[in-house]
Amino acid sequence: MPVRIRVSLNEMKVAQELSEMSEKSSEKSEMSTIAFCQHALRREIAPPSVGSVQTRIATAARSLGWSYTRTRDAWYADPRISIRPEELFRVEAVSGLIYQARQEVRKNDDAIARATALLGGEDAHLVRSIVAAVRSALGIRNRA
């Protein structure tokens, strides 16, 4: 027997706003990958003990398997570049650092998946649980 879940227009609007906030959060984290790579390159992959900046960039390029130019752009955090996922994974592997924003995005995706699963549930009060789970994942405090 199909179960009907009543969702008010206000609750749907809140869920849509939370979804949009999650997208904006993803966009912000995408921009910070450049800063993460810059930090990893300068501190872990090619530390100051290696030598001059040019030597450090060349060392980092060899370690990562990147071109000198690509490595230099990441070294100086050139705003025109974007770091591809496979490049980010390589930086993590070589440096031993973990990119935190990627973990946060995964946490948000898990919360949204749980909320989606709850929508197919049997109780109408689960919608509030969904909104609370998404708010929790995004770090939004309940203002009610």
Side-chain angles (χ1 to χ4, degrees):
M1 169 158 70
V3 177
R4 287 189 176 185
I5 298 177
R6 284 194 142 165
V7 180
S8 72
L9 186 58
N10 191 27
E11 289 171 327
M12 288 176 58
K13 190 174 185 180
V14 167
Q16 181 181 7
E17 288 173 358
L18 289 173
S19 174
E20 290 171 1
M21 288 173 59
S22 177
E23 288 174 14
K24 289 178 184 176
S25 171
S26 295
E27 290 171 6
K28 288 179 184 176
S29 67
E30 180 65 32
M31 292 177 65
S32 67
T33 57
I34 296 169
F36 170 78
C37 288
Q38 180 185 39
H39 172 77
L41 288 169
R42 291 180 175 204
R43 303 270 192 251
E44 301 295 327
I45 299 172
S49 61
V50 172
S52 69
V53 172
Q54 288 79 14
T55 304
R56 291 170 67 192
I57 293 172
T59 301
R62 279 192 303 278
S63 297
L64 294 170
W66 295 0
S67 70
Y68 180 87
T69 305
R70 179 71 174 166
T71 308
R72 185 189 65 219
D73 289 345
W75 183 273
Y76 290 110
D78 188 336
R80 296 173 293 177
I81 69 166
S82 64
I83 303 298
R84 295 184 296 269
E86 61 273 9
E87 292 173 326
L88 181 61
F89 297 146
R90 182 71 181 147
V91 169
E92 286 179 327
V94 172
S95 70
L97 300 175
I98 297 174
Y99 181 55
Q100 296 297 325
R102 189 164 53 91
Q103 290 178 345
E104 292 173 14
V105 169
R106 187 178 303 138
K107 179 180 163 185
N108 290 345
D109 289 343
D110 290 345
I112 290 170
R114 284 193 308 271
T116 302
L118 288 173
L119 278 174
E122 299 176 9
D123 297 323
H125 75 285
L126 291 177
V127 174
R128 287 199 169 99
S129 298
I130 294 167
V131 173
V134 173
R135 281 184 174 166
S136 172
L138 295 174
I140 300 171
R141 300 200 191 290
N142 189 359
R143 296 180 184 176

